Amino acid sequence: MRMSNEMIVFSNIENACYSSVKAETKEDKVKLYNISTNPDYKVADMINKVIAIKDVYAEVIKMPDKETGELYDTVRIILIDKDGKSYQSISKGIYNSIQKIMALMGPPTWEDPIKVEVKQITRGSGNEVRHVQILQMV
């Protein structure tokens, strides 16, 4: 695991991950491991709700294509709030939102948590309609 505050470009990198959490003690490392394997919530369950983000964990995972079944790389994002609760997403919209937030606000850990509202927007039309989750800063 890379422990840095630089956002990693996740294209075609196996087992790449990013964590803003400063896991220095064994207790911190256990806590981070548990967050990464069993987050508390899904971001999708937080639509129209506010999360006060303090840290971010991200890792490349393999997902099957719905039509072909072929595996492709995508990014799993876990948002960690000011109380240590964690929120998981594999949404490209959430990934893009976090990249933009980090570009504007600097990399986490954010001592003054970044408050975001989870939104779901519609893209496309006809048979090509899809719902995308994004983060709106509040």
Side-chain angles (χ1 to χ4, degrees):
M1 179 180 304
R2 296 178 189 166
M3 303 301 253
S4 77
N5 280 336
E6 296 177 18
M7 193 62 168
I8 296 173
V9 176
F10 286 101
S11 61
N12 300 319
I13 300 174
E14 296 244 5
N15 301 321
C17 67
Y18 164 87
S19 176
S20 66
V21 176
K22 309 287 187 290
E24 295 172 357
T25 67
K26 182 178 180 181
E27 181 180 79
D28 291 342
K29 291 174 184 178
V30 168
K31 191 174 187 178
L32 179 59
Y33 173 82
N34 289 334
I35 284 171
S36 73
T37 59
N38 190 24
D40 297 306
Y41 306 101
K42 293 179 182 177
V43 171
D45 295 336
M46 302 301 291
I47 293 173
N48 297 321
K49 295 181 182 173
V50 174
I51 302 172
I53 306 170
K54 188 167 180 160
D55 282 295
V56 176
Y57 174 88
E59 65 183 341
V60 174
I61 61 169
K62 300 274 188 194
M63 291 290 294
D65 183 275
K66 291 178 183 177
E67 292 180 18
T68 67
E70 285 187 52
L71 294 177
Y72 66 93
D73 288 343
T74 192
V75 180
R76 176 177 173 248
I77 298 284
I78 300 175
L79 308 175
I80 304 165
D81 75 10
K82 63 183 179 62
D83 299 318
K85 296 293 182 188
S86 53
Y87 307 80
Q88 170 183 265
S89 176
I90 56 169
S91 166
K92 287 181 183 177
I94 298 297
Y95 174 69
N96 291 337
S97 293
I98 285 296
Q99 281 188 311
K100 288 176 187 174
I101 290 169
M102 288 174 68
L104 292 171
M105 305 303 287
T109 295
W110 295 301
E111 294 308 319
D112 183 16
I114 305 293
K115 291 183 181 177
V116 297
E117 185 172 354
V118 179
K119 294 291 188 181
Q120 183 165 291
I121 59 175
T122 303
R123 297 274 191 226
S125 62
N127 291 337
E128 299 296 320
V129 171
R130 58 190 168 87
H131 300 287
V132 179
Q133 297 161 14
I134 63 167
L135 300 175
Q136 182 174 358
M137 292 180 67
V138 294

